[in-house]
Amino acid sequence: NIDSMPVGEALGSGKRSAVRKDAMTEKVCRRCKGNVFVFETAPVLSIVQEVDRFGRGFWEFESGLSGSGGRWTMGRAWAYVYTRIAARSLMLSFLSPFEEAVPLGLTVSAYDEGMDDFRILKAFAFGGRKGARSKFEAAFDFVPGRLYRIQIDSPVFVPDEASHSGATRRLGI
């Protein structure tokens, strides 16, 4: 507790050193302007940087979702991704409760230090097949060492209204 320890002890502490080395491993440091940042710190061992940790707008992980696990969105959800490898596309794997004609959206923004905010770089429209796991590949050049926000937009539904399941959460894709 920094309030009850001498300043010299706080500055020389192992905890401070660890936070200085990788602040994103600390929960309190991942919170900025009301958003939760979740960054993977394990080494990237392949040509794929998987994004399976999400910040705002996603429900908790459900192990049985679509047979392999996943998270529902709340209609608008985003993940903050610090890219560690160059990538030419983003592959989104999702389960859609909506008919094919229902528009879904994906927006890629990058952090702009001058604006101190995220600037939209590219937006995509896509769809999925109702009740089926679908994939959408968005062509985009990701630059290593850059902070991106990947936003997913979809309509919402309440499971109880369709199947009387008792689930009253508002869900998206």
Side-chain angles (χ1 to χ4, degrees):
N1 183 345
I2 197 165
D3 292 328
S4 62
M5 66 182 0
V7 174
E9 187 180 328
L11 291 174
S13 75
K15 180 77 166 177
R16 180 177 179 272
S17 179
V19 168
R20 193 174 64 234
K21 181 178 178 188
D22 188 0
M24 291 303 117
T25 61
E26 296 299 317
K27 185 175 182 179
V28 70
C29 296
R30 292 191 311 256
R31 187 165 294 283
C32 181
K33 295 183 180 179
N35 296 307
V36 177
F37 293 78
V38 181
F39 295 97
E40 181 61 57
T41 58
V44 177
L45 302 175
S46 73
I47 61 168
V48 174
Q49 180 177 339
E50 187 170 320
V51 178
D52 61 357
R53 297 182 185 194
F54 301 96
R56 193 171 172 147
F58 287 89
W59 287 98
E60 294 298 317
F61 182 82
E62 295 179 30
S63 61
L65 185 61
S66 190
S68 61
R71 292 172 172 81
W72 288 102
T73 71
M74 298 175 199
R76 169 168 285 172
W78 51 85
Y80 293 92
V81 179
Y82 181 78
T83 53
R84 295 179 291 153
I85 60 173
R88 308 226 25 138
S89 68
L90 172 70
M91 176 69 74
L92 180 64
S93 176
F94 63 98
L95 175 66
S96 178
F98 307 110
E99 300 295 337
E100 245 177 282
V102 173
L104 307 172
L106 176 71
T107 305
V108 179
S109 303
Y111 183 71
D112 183 320
E113 289 185 35
M115 292 176 21
D116 191 27
D117 204 355
F118 286 84
R119 183 173 50 89
I120 294 174
L121 300 178
K122 198 162 184 183
F124 305 88
F126 65 100
R129 289 191 342 263
K130 184 175 183 172
R133 182 171 291 280
S134 301
K135 291 188 179 197
F136 172 69
E137 186 169 4
F140 184 83
D141 288 329
F142 289 91
V143 177
R146 193 158 190 203
L147 179 61
Y148 293 94
R149 179 173 61 203
I150 299 168
Q151 179 174 307
I152 300 170
D153 290 298
S154 75
V156 294
F157 73 103
V158 177
D160 186 62
E161 293 172 1
S163 63
H164 306 293
S165 65
T168 57
R169 300 177 298 169
R170 297 191 71 73
L171 304 176
I173 62 168

